[in-house]
């Protein structure tokens, strides 16, 4: 206890202490503690100071935070320092990262019983490159709102213009949980609005649906030219785990809990497992045939591969020695349990190779995988090799 009192009263240069026993009127940078985080931030903003660490002592702080550029905020313990807003009735952002800022060792909680737009952490400007969020838990919850209402609920929302390389992680050691209901977009992590990069590692992202028919996705990139990098992650969403709606998602050592990529493509960092089918001859004309794994002539009998665990079939590619010729089109289709999927690819004319990276198909343990080819006219396609990637 004496040590704690000394730490509160002894001047600490470049430090703004926040304590539930503090006072915003007498609090000072390097001096007596503030009572609120915004009291410390106001003192920093009033002087234009940078290089200040806001040290937050245990307690629950019911306030929204906009981090002043060039400064940091550190809770003394993730378990005992909570920044929250409860039962808000209007659109609310709990924490907005500033340029060249760092926030760590805090719990962030944002709740509402209404359908208003909620964002726990916002990354504007170039903060995806210059700001860091470390060792934090994030909870956003409007699960008790009416099931027929509409709201957008985000754990982390990056919408700026920063272009870091993949060695710069904006977030690390973060667990984000979104509990929601109704219509609208529900995301643990969303990258959109502007072309930029957002990289993260060692994260857990969960989006739970209590009711309603909205879109509940763990992590999404939805901006042409934007890139979202996920490393050492566990991601789960009621609608889909990830969604490369527009832009690029790269994943490495990442567990997609439901093996669901929203039927869209994505880019694994490591070489995925593959299945290869090949036919050493000329394909039959104007017919539907099925490939056998390995090298063998196609057959009129469908040949199935049983998958022993859940996975995503992602990327379908074809190479041949000669193309169909003329205006003839040959089409290859990945089939799930004997039914065509959206993962297809075609060759036409003199074309001898093609790849489809834009679609994916979720398979559960025990599902059957097969490959069909539908040839057109007097096809001249010969010596085909077809490959799918498994994640």
């Amino acid at each position: 206890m004496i040590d704690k009192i000394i730490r509160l009263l002894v001047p600490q240069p470049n430090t703004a202490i926040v304590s539930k026993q503090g006072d915003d009127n007498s609090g000072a940078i390097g001096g007596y503690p503030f009572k609120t985080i915004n009291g410390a931030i106001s003192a920093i903003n009033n002087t234009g100071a940078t290089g200040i660490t806001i040290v937050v002592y245990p307690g629950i702080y019911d306030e929204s935070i906009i981090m002043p550029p060039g400064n940091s905020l550190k809770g003394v313990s993730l378990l005992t320092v909570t920044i929250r807003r409860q039962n808000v009735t209007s659109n609310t952002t709990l924490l907005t990262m500033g340029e060249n800022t760092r926030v760590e060792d805090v719990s962030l909680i944002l709740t509402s019983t209404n359908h208003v737009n909620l964002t726990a952490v916002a990354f504007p400007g170039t903060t995806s490159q210059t700001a860091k969020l470390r060792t934090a838990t994030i909870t956003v919850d409007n699960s008790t709102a009416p099931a027929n209402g509409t709201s957008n609920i985000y754990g982390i929302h990056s919408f700026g213009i920063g272009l870091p390389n993949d060695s710069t992680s904006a977030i690390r050691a973060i667990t984000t949980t979104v509990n929601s209901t109704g219509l609208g977009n529900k995301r643990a992590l969303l990258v959109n609005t502007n072309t930029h990069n957002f990289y993260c590692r060692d994260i857990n992202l969960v989006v739970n649906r209590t009711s309603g028919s909205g879109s509940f996705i763990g992590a999404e990139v939805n901006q042409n030219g934007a890139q979202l990098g996920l490393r050492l992650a566990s991601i789960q969403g009621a609608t889909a785990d990830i969604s490369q709606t527009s832009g690029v998602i790269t994943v490495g050592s990442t567990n997609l809990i439901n093996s669901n990529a929203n039927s869209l493509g994505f880019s694994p960092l490591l070489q995925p497992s593959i299945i290869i089918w090949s036919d050493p001859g000329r394909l039959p004309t104007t017919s539907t045939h099925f490939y056998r794994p390995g090298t063998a002539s196609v057959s009129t009998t469908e040949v199935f591969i049983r998958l022993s665990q859940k996975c995503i079939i992602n990327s379908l590619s074809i190479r041949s020695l000669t193309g169909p010729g003329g205006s003839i089109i040959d089409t290859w289709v990945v089939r799930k349990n004997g039914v065509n999927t959206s993962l297809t690819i075609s060759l036409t004319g003199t074309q001898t190779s093609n790849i489809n990276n834009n679609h994916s198909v979720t398979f559960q343990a025990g599902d059957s995988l097969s490959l069909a080819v539908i040839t057109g006219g007097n096809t001249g396609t010969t010596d085909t090799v077809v490959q799918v990637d498994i994640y």
Side-chain angles (χ1 to χ4, degrees):
M1 184 66 177
I2 293 175
D3 175 65
K4 292 181 180 179
I5 294 174
I6 291 173
R7 292 182 65 188
L8 287 174
L9 298 181
V10 173
Q12 300 184 48
N14 299 321
T15 302
I17 294 176
V18 178
S19 168
K20 299 303 289 185
Q21 285 72 46
D23 187 310
D24 286 349
N25 292 323
S26 59
I29 298 171
Y32 285 96
F34 297 89
K35 186 177 182 62
T36 67
I37 298 172
N38 275 302
I41 289 175
S42 293
I44 291 172
N45 288 336
N46 288 339
T47 61
T50 59
I52 305 300
T53 297
I54 302 169
V55 178
V56 185
Y57 275 70
I60 297 174
Y61 298 86
D62 291 299
E63 45 189 321
S64 293
I65 305 300
I66 300 176
M67 281 298 297
N71 298 281
S72 68
L73 183 151
K74 179 177 176 58
V76 297
S77 171
L78 170 66
L79 295 177
T80 59
V81 176
T82 299
I83 301 171
R84 74 178 186 185
R85 294 283 306 279
Q86 288 189 301
N87 302 324
V88 299
T89 57
S90 59
N91 297 343
T92 301
T93 297
L94 183 62
L95 168 63
T96 300
M97 301 299 290
E99 301 291 346
N100 297 296
T101 60
R102 182 182 180 99
V103 174
E104 58 188 321
D105 294 324
V106 294
S107 295
L108 303 168
I109 300 174
L110 178 60
T111 71
S112 179
T113 58
N114 301 299
H115 279 290
V116 294
N117 296 333
L118 305 177
T119 300
V121 183
F123 280 82
T126 63
T127 55
S128 68
Q129 181 172 344
T130 67
K132 307 290 183 290
L133 179 64
R134 298 287 187 267
T135 318
T137 61
I138 299 169
T139 302
V140 190
D141 194 323
N142 78 329
S143 58
T144 60
N148 59 352
T150 300
S151 55
N152 296 325
I153 311 297
Y154 306 141
I156 299 169
H157 185 197
S158 181
F159 50 90
I161 56 173
L163 294 172
N165 59 39
D166 60 6
S167 66
T168 301
S169 297
I171 63 173
R172 181 180 292 186
I174 304 297
T175 295
T176 300
T177 303
V178 170
N179 301 312
S180 192
T181 186
L183 304 172
N185 296 323
K186 327 295 183 172
R187 305 288 186 266
L189 172 58
L190 174 64
V191 174
N192 69 354
T193 307
N194 294 299
T195 297
H196 69 291
N197 301 336
F198 192 90
Y199 297 107
C200 43
R201 61 184 297 119
D202 188 16
I203 59 170
N204 297 297
L205 306 175
V206 179
V207 179
N208 296 313
R209 170 169 47 200
T210 55
S211 62
S213 56
S215 175
F216 297 73
I217 295 175
E220 179 186 22
V221 59
N222 190 3
Q223 175 63 43
N224 185 39
Q227 185 165 125
L228 169 60
L230 304 166
R231 316 283 191 268
L232 300 173
S234 176
I235 305 175
Q236 179 178 3
T239 300
D241 300 325
I242 62 174
S243 181
Q244 184 180 270
T245 308
S246 182
V248 175
I249 288 182
T250 59
V251 297
S253 300
T254 293
N255 183 15
L256 304 179
I257 299 297
N258 297 311
S259 293
N260 189 328
N262 208 24
S263 299
L264 301 171
F266 60 95
S267 300
L269 284 177
L270 302 177
Q271 175 64 41
S273 300
I274 61 175
I275 294 178
I276 295 176
W277 299 266
S278 64
D279 183 315
R282 179 176 175 178
L283 293 177
T285 61
T286 318
S287 61
T288 298
H289 282 72
F290 302 94
Y291 277 77
R292 301 174 184 272
T295 301
S297 298
V298 295
S299 169
T300 55
T301 301
E302 188 164 9
V303 181
F304 297 99
I305 300 172
R306 182 183 180 278
L307 299 173
S308 60
Q309 53 187 298
K310 64 180 179 180
C311 63
I312 299 175
I313 303 297
N314 173 47
S315 181
L316 171 64
S317 63
I318 171 70
R319 288 185 180 274
S320 64
L321 184 62
T322 59
S327 59
I328 298 171
I329 299 175
D330 295 336
T331 301
W332 289 259
V333 183
V334 169
R335 288 166 60 84
K336 175 181 176 180
N337 299 327
V339 178
N340 288 349
T341 71
S342 61
L343 191 52
T344 69
I345 202 167
S346 296
L347 295 180
T348 184
T350 60
Q351 190 177 12
T352 58
S353 66
N354 201 359
I355 186 168
N356 181 350
N357 282 325
N358 298 321
H359 295 85
S360 62
V361 183
T362 298
F363 283 74
Q364 300 297 326
D367 283 345
S368 296
L369 167 68
S370 57
L371 178 70
V373 59
I374 301 97
T375 56
N378 188 28
T379 182
T381 301
T382 62
D383 298 286
T384 53
V385 178
V386 186
Q387 173 180 321
V388 295
D389 294 346
I390 303 177
Y391 187 90

